[in-house]
Amino acid sequence: DTAVSQTPKYLVTQMGNDKSIKCEQNLGHDTMYWYKQDSKKFLKIMFSYNNKELIINETVPNRFSPKSPDKAHLNLHINSLELGDSAVYFCASSHQGQYTGELFFGEGSRLTVL
Amino acid sequence: AQSVTQPDIHITVSEGASLELRCNYSYGATPYLFWYVQSPGQGLQLLLKYFSGDTLVQGIKGFEAEFKRSQSSFNLRKPSVHWSDAAEYFCAVGALGSGTYKYIFGTGTRLKVLA
């Protein structure tokens, strides 16, 4: 049973299109994240939600809109896709609070914008 | 600001040789420290973590790391590398800021293993 699962695994689309990536975790964690990994493997945090509340919002274009319907799900919608959005997007989760733990990652969603 | 530095972008070792991957961090308090491994086309898997206590931590796949506060380092070691260890390795720090923990990653070290 996959702990952090994200779909789709691959996305190929044209510039200007809108796309979404979904993420679900079954670990009972209260905090979820989106990370972007570029072609040089650099991992940069984009957003973090704690119990459905946005707590980290790094400098990300407002074409990116996260949504957390409940604490087990965090989706990422991207409007008007650009070439520079091509990357691997990782969802992750952790527990924060009295005991803050490590990040658990999904397998990634590779987005290619043509 | 918190940061993590992995000075070696690439490292090549022969199978059976020992390995040390370097990691330095910048953070005002005692950090939470992690090492992750990423195989091609895969997500990141936790190798080991340091929260407190014994500064030498053991992880999976025969890896260990040592936290040295005086050097702000958390280097990863393995006494004998296997060909299957070829992957990208990331050091990360969990740092408290504005009431929440942020996990900051280094730029990664790509390990190549020669048969």
Side-chain angles (χ1 to χ4, degrees), chain B residues 1 31 33 39 98 105 113:
Chain B
L33 294 161
S39 298
S98 304
F105 285 79
V113 180

mmCIF file with all atom_site columns, all heavy atoms in Angstrom, chain B residues 1 31 33 39 98 105 113:
data_model
loop_
_atom_site.group_PDB
_atom_site.id
_atom_site.type_symbol
_atom_site.label_atom_id
_atom_site.label_alt_id
_atom_site.label_comp_id
_atom_site.label_asym_id
_atom_site.label_entity_id
_atom_site.label_seq_id
_atom_site.pdbx_PDB_ins_code
_atom_site.Cartn_x
_atom_site.Cartn_y
_atom_site.Cartn_z
_atom_site.occupancy
_atom_site.B_iso_or_equiv
_atom_site.pdbx_formal_charge
_atom_site.auth_seq_id
_atom_site.auth_comp_id
_atom_site.auth_asym_id
_atom_site.auth_atom_id
_atom_site.pdbx_PDB_model_num
ATOM 1  N N   . ALA B 1 1   ? 19.861 32.928 7.245   1.00 0.00 ? 1   ALA B N   1
ATOM 2  C CA  . ALA B 1 1   ? 18.923 31.988 6.622   1.00 0.00 ? 1   ALA B CA  1
ATOM 3  C C   . ALA B 1 1   ? 19.529 30.586 6.655   1.00 0.00 ? 1   ALA B C   1
ATOM 4  O O   . ALA B 1 1   ? 20.740 30.409 6.598   1.00 0.00 ? 1   ALA B O   1
ATOM 5  C CB  . ALA B 1 1   ? 18.645 32.396 5.177   1.00 0.00 ? 1   ALA B CB  1
ATOM 6  N N   . PRO B 1 31  ? 19.682 21.461 14.501  1.00 0.00 ? 31  PRO B N   1
ATOM 7  C CA  . PRO B 1 31  ? 18.749 21.118 13.423  1.00 0.00 ? 31  PRO B CA  1
ATOM 8  C C   . PRO B 1 31  ? 18.330 19.654 13.464  1.00 0.00 ? 31  PRO B C   1
ATOM 9  O O   . PRO B 1 31  ? 18.941 18.845 14.144  1.00 0.00 ? 31  PRO B O   1
ATOM 10 C CB  . PRO B 1 31  ? 19.592 21.388 12.181  1.00 0.00 ? 31  PRO B CB  1
ATOM 11 C CG  . PRO B 1 31  ? 20.975 20.985 12.615  1.00 0.00 ? 31  PRO B CG  1
ATOM 12 C CD  . PRO B 1 31  ? 21.071 21.342 14.077  1.00 0.00 ? 31  PRO B CD  1
ATOM 13 N N   . LEU B 1 33  ? 18.430 16.641 10.944  1.00 0.00 ? 33  LEU B N   1
ATOM 14 C CA  . LEU B 1 33  ? 19.254 16.384 9.768   1.00 0.00 ? 33  LEU B CA  1
ATOM 15 C C   . LEU B 1 33  ? 18.878 15.062 9.125   1.00 0.00 ? 33  LEU B C   1
ATOM 16 O O   . LEU B 1 33  ? 18.563 14.094 9.823   1.00 0.00 ? 33  LEU B O   1
ATOM 17 C CB  . LEU B 1 33  ? 20.738 16.370 10.160  1.00 0.00 ? 33  LEU B CB  1
ATOM 18 C CG  . LEU B 1 33  ? 21.288 17.715 10.644  1.00 0.00 ? 33  LEU B CG  1
ATOM 19 C CD1 . LEU B 1 33  ? 22.576 17.525 11.418  1.00 0.00 ? 33  LEU B CD1 1
ATOM 20 C CD2 . LEU B 1 33  ? 21.500 18.649 9.462   1.00 0.00 ? 33  LEU B CD2 1
ATOM 21 N N   . SER B 1 39  ? 17.123 7.096  -6.561  1.00 0.00 ? 39  SER B N   1
ATOM 22 C CA  . SER B 1 39  ? 17.532 6.315  -7.727  1.00 0.00 ? 39  SER B CA  1
ATOM 23 C C   . SER B 1 39  ? 16.865 6.897  -8.960  1.00 0.00 ? 39  SER B C   1
ATOM 24 O O   . SER B 1 39  ? 15.825 7.559  -8.840  1.00 0.00 ? 39  SER B O   1
ATOM 25 C CB  . SER B 1 39  ? 17.143 4.844  -7.530  1.00 0.00 ? 39  SER B CB  1
ATOM 26 O OG  . SER B 1 39  ? 17.826 4.312  -6.414  1.00 0.00 ? 39  SER B OG  1
ATOM 27 N N   . SER B 1 98  ? 9.100  30.747 11.546  1.00 0.00 ? 98  SER B N   1
ATOM 28 C CA  . SER B 1 98  ? 7.712  31.241 11.554  1.00 0.00 ? 98  SER B CA  1
ATOM 29 C C   . SER B 1 98  ? 6.740  30.192 12.064  1.00 0.00 ? 98  SER B C   1
ATOM 30 O O   . SER B 1 98  ? 5.622  30.052 11.555  1.00 0.00 ? 98  SER B O   1
ATOM 31 C CB  . SER B 1 98  ? 7.283  31.677 10.144  1.00 0.00 ? 98  SER B CB  1
ATOM 32 O OG  . SER B 1 98  ? 8.157  32.643 9.633   1.00 0.00 ? 98  SER B OG  1
ATOM 33 N N   . PHE B 1 105 ? 16.891 21.337 1.263   1.00 0.00 ? 105 PHE B N   1
ATOM 34 C CA  . PHE B 1 105 ? 17.749 20.312 0.684   1.00 0.00 ? 105 PHE B CA  1
ATOM 35 C C   . PHE B 1 105 ? 19.028 20.917 0.106   1.00 0.00 ? 105 PHE B C   1
ATOM 36 O O   . PHE B 1 105 ? 19.033 22.038 -0.407  1.00 0.00 ? 105 PHE B O   1
ATOM 37 C CB  . PHE B 1 105 ? 17.003 19.568 -0.424  1.00 0.00 ? 105 PHE B CB  1
ATOM 38 C CG  . PHE B 1 105 ? 15.987 18.600 0.111   1.00 0.00 ? 105 PHE B CG  1
ATOM 39 C CD1 . PHE B 1 105 ? 14.748 19.038 0.548   1.00 0.00 ? 105 PHE B CD1 1
ATOM 40 C CD2 . PHE B 1 105 ? 16.284 17.254 0.208   1.00 0.00 ? 105 PHE B CD2 1
ATOM 41 C CE1 . PHE B 1 105 ? 13.809 18.155 1.061   1.00 0.00 ? 105 PHE B CE1 1
ATOM 42 C CE2 . PHE B 1 105 ? 15.363 16.354 0.724   1.00 0.00 ? 105 PHE B CE2 1
ATOM 43 C CZ  . PHE B 1 105 ? 14.117 16.810 1.150   1.00 0.00 ? 105 PHE B CZ  1
ATOM 44 N N   . VAL B 1 113 ? 29.420 4.258  -9.333  1.00 0.00 ? 113 VAL B N   1
ATOM 45 C CA  . VAL B 1 113 ? 30.181 3.139  -8.797  1.00 0.00 ? 113 VAL B CA  1
ATOM 46 C C   . VAL B 1 113 ? 30.778 2.351  -9.953  1.00 0.00 ? 113 VAL B C   1
ATOM 47 O O   . VAL B 1 113 ? 30.054 1.891  -10.846 1.00 0.00 ? 113 VAL B O   1
ATOM 48 C CB  . VAL B 1 113 ? 29.286 2.222  -7.936  1.00 0.00 ? 113 VAL B CB  1
ATOM 49 C CG1 . VAL B 1 113 ? 30.106 1.064  -7.377  1.00 0.00 ? 113 VAL B CG1 1
ATOM 50 C CG2 . VAL B 1 113 ? 28.647 3.023  -6.809  1.00 0.00 ? 113 VAL B CG2 1
#
